[in-house]
Amino acid sequence: MKATIVTIGDEILIGQIVDTNSGYIAKALDKIGVQTTEMLSISDDKQHILKTFSAFQNKVDLVIITGGLGPTKDDITKHTFCEYFEDTFVRNQEVEDHIVALFTKLNFNPTQINKDQALLPSKAQVLKNNYGTASGMWMQKGTTVFVSMPGVPYEMKGIVNEQLIPKIVAEFKRPYIIHKTILTYGQGESLVAERIEYWENNLPEFIKLAYLPSPGRVRLRLTARGENKEVLEKAIQENVQSLTKIIGDIIVGFDEDETIEVIIGRLLCQQGKTIATAESCTGGKIAQMLTSAAGASDYFRGSVVSYATDTKISVLGVSAKTIEKYTVVSAAVASEMALGIQKLMKTDYAIATTGNAGPTKGDADAEVGTVFIALATPTAVFVEEFNFGQPREKVIDRTANKALEILQAAILKNAFN
């Protein structure tokens, strides 16, 4: 079963907002065995919208549209939708009552324009919007179902989860699609591919492998498609087990949403340990990653972004003599930063970063891309030097990821001591 996702709105095409709806819808469809074959964004133009609808009719099973359902004159999707299906508007009393109730709850009286959001194509099956005034619409032409939903993300998500997905499941026979994600850290895409080449070449035809690289990490996503769920699950499990024997040294997780920061958080909670960070060149990115995990307050104590040299001295207690002798981009300074934040926050572990992210050398003697990462543990402090090259964003991302990789390895080592 195949779907196309269309976002409507000039604000997307001029870069004023970023389309996050398509990714959310595609992920929801994938979970129920619907394959998204194309995503596109188009302008708020009637002829353009009609042409797009016509292009996909009878080519895919589903065309899902978001955007252009507001009450103002520039929102033309509903009118164009009605024209494409050669339909007329009728007032849906249930929808109008819902609109009035929403406004009443906010102590406002709806205008006639607001109430006219209840005017919907007579042939449309309404997908109730519990969070706004623009209803979703489900209509079929030929062999294709067209679904129109509002572009406001939280309204769209509500309709997708509460109305659209249950309706698709009820009305369409779909194959099973099973994913398994293997999260690896510390080696690049090409090296990982080289290590698993023989394994990859011997995957069953119904299992596909995708490499999803980002700085410092590579996700390997296995996707199995077929009619027998048990066969797919068994094949995925067997191939993950054989893969673990090959690259188990760099595997840190097996879930799409289980990032290394989530894994670190779980390990710290299990051991009853805490962490703090002192960051210079990474500017707080490591702290942001660690606190992105739910429940981070149980183990994350705080951070100091000691970008200025005097902050390293006055807040973290780094020795001015150490800086004078070794410069701020040095193993000695990174070590003192880690010990300083560990003492300041009274934590078991502490990460510190100092480096030259570029684009120029500035006051530092170190080459652009040079970074020192220090980790203070309950018993010692360790420092490693890296050169992550350029550009600046790459240096920051790779430093943050490498720091978490080092931290996770230390926590795991401590668990077995």
Side-chain angles (χ1 to χ4, degrees):
M1 185 174 180
K2 302 184 186 303
T4 294
I5 300 172
V6 181
T7 54
I8 298 176
D10 293 336
E11 64 275 12
I12 296 173
L13 297 175
I14 64 174
Q16 190 174 26
I17 66 169
V18 176
D19 170 31
T20 59
N21 287 352
S22 294
Y24 186 90
I25 295 167
K27 194 170 184 178
L29 292 176
D30 180 77
K31 288 180 179 178
I32 60 169
V34 179
Q35 181 183 4
T36 299
T37 57
E38 189 168 356
M39 297 177 182
L40 70 156
S41 297
I42 62 175
S43 65
D44 294 298
D45 176 79
K46 184 175 77 170
Q47 295 306 318
H48 198 171
I49 296 171
L50 291 171
K51 182 180 178 181
T52 301
F53 288 179
S54 180
F56 289 106
Q57 184 185 322
N58 302 328
K59 302 294 193 305
V60 293
D61 303 287
L62 278 169
V63 176
I64 299 180
I65 307 111
T66 65
L69 293 182
T72 55
K73 290 183 179 180
D74 62 327
D75 292 303
I76 63 171
T77 301
K78 184 170 66 173
H79 296 274
T80 308
F81 208 63
C82 194
E83 180 177 330
Y84 184 72
F85 284 91
E86 300 176 330
D87 202 357
T88 56
F89 286 124
V90 294
R91 188 171 295 276
N92 186 304
Q93 192 58 50
E94 183 180 353
V95 172
E96 182 170 331
D97 291 343
H98 166 70
I99 292 170
V100 172
L102 281 178
F103 276 85
T104 301
K105 189 175 182 179
L106 297 171
N107 294 318
F108 288 108
N109 292 318
T111 66
Q112 189 59 46
I113 292 177
N114 298 130
K115 292 180 179 179
D116 285 347
Q117 288 280 76
L119 290 171
L120 299 169
S122 65
K123 302 173 187 175
Q125 297 181 56
V126 176
L127 302 178
K128 188 178 180 182
N129 179 0
N130 290 314
Y131 309 97
T133 60
S135 298
M137 297 172 286
W138 170 297
M139 300 181 76
Q140 183 164 347
K141 194 167 189 177
T143 60
T144 301
V145 169
F146 291 80
V147 176
S148 180
M149 296 184 292
V152 180
Y154 71 86
E155 294 184 26
M156 175 276 300
K157 291 176 183 178
I159 294 175
V160 167
N161 296 329
E162 299 167 11
Q163 304 286 324
L164 179 61
I165 296 302
K167 189 170 177 60
I168 293 173
V169 169
E171 299 202 11
F172 288 96
K173 186 179 186 304
R174 298 147 290 106
Y176 291 101
I177 300 179
I178 297 176
H179 296 294
K180 187 69 176 181
T181 298
I182 300 95
L183 180 64
T184 72
Y185 255 76
Q187 293 184 355
E189 179 183 11
S190 58
L191 181 55
V192 174
E194 183 178 337
R195 291 183 65 183
I196 67 173
E197 181 179 7
Y198 179 80
W199 172 87
E200 182 179 355
N201 290 339
N202 286 277
L203 284 171
E205 289 187 2
F206 59 86
I207 297 181
K208 303 300 180 184
L209 173 66
Y211 293 83
L212 307 169
S214 56
R217 68 179 80 180
V218 178
R219 285 181 297 150
L220 303 172
R221 188 186 65 218
L222 289 171
T223 301
R225 285 186 174 87
E227 302 297 327
N228 191 313
K229 184 178 181 181
E230 288 72 24
V231 169
L232 299 180
E233 289 177 338
K234 182 180 179 181
I236 287 285
Q237 182 180 4
E238 289 174 349
N239 280 279
V240 168
Q241 289 174 348
S242 60
L243 178 65
T244 303
K245 294 177 181 178
I246 303 170
I247 57 169
D249 58 310
I250 60 171
I251 292 175
V252 298
F254 294 93
D255 190 276
E256 177 72 24
D257 299 317
E258 191 171 63
T259 60
I260 194 169
E261 43 266 38
V262 171
I263 296 167
I264 287 171
R266 184 169 61 243
L267 290 171
L268 289 170
C269 286
Q270 288 171 353
Q271 296 182 25
K273 303 297 185 182
T274 55
I275 178 72
T277 65
E279 302 183 55
S280 184
C281 61
T282 44
K285 186 173 181 65
I286 301 170
Q288 185 274 324
M289 293 173 71
L290 287 170
T291 56
S292 68
S297 59
D298 291 337
Y299 52 85
F300 185 80
R301 290 292 176 263
S303 177
V304 171
V305 181
S306 54
Y307 219 68
T309 299
D310 60 352
T311 305
K312 294 178 177 68
I313 297 170
S314 62
V315 179
L316 297 175
V318 176
S319 168
K321 291 182 178 179
T322 301
I323 294 174
E324 183 179 355
K325 183 176 181 179
Y326 297 104
T327 77
V328 291
V329 182
S330 63
V333 168
S335 177
E336 291 189 20
M337 289 172 63
L339 291 170
I341 195 68
Q342 185 184 42
K343 180 180 179 181
L344 181 65
M345 299 290 180
K346 298 179 176 61
T347 59
D348 302 289
Y349 294 94
I351 295 173
T353 60
T354 181
N356 185 357
T360 60
K361 289 180 68 173
D363 296 332
D365 294 330
E367 292 296 324
V368 172
T370 301
V371 173
F372 290 89
I373 301 174
L375 174 66
T377 72
T379 57
V381 60
F382 307 93
V383 186
E384 289 191 57
E385 179 181 358
F386 303 91
N387 191 301
F388 293 129
Q390 298 185 58
R392 180 179 179 83
E393 293 79 9
K394 175 185 174 183
V395 175
I396 294 171
D397 286 345
R398 294 193 66 183
T399 301
N401 283 307
K402 177 57 72 172
L404 294 183
E405 179 190 338
I406 293 170
L407 173 61
Q408 188 210 21
I411 299 171
L412 285 172
K413 183 179 179 180
N414 183 67
F416 294 105
N417 288 338

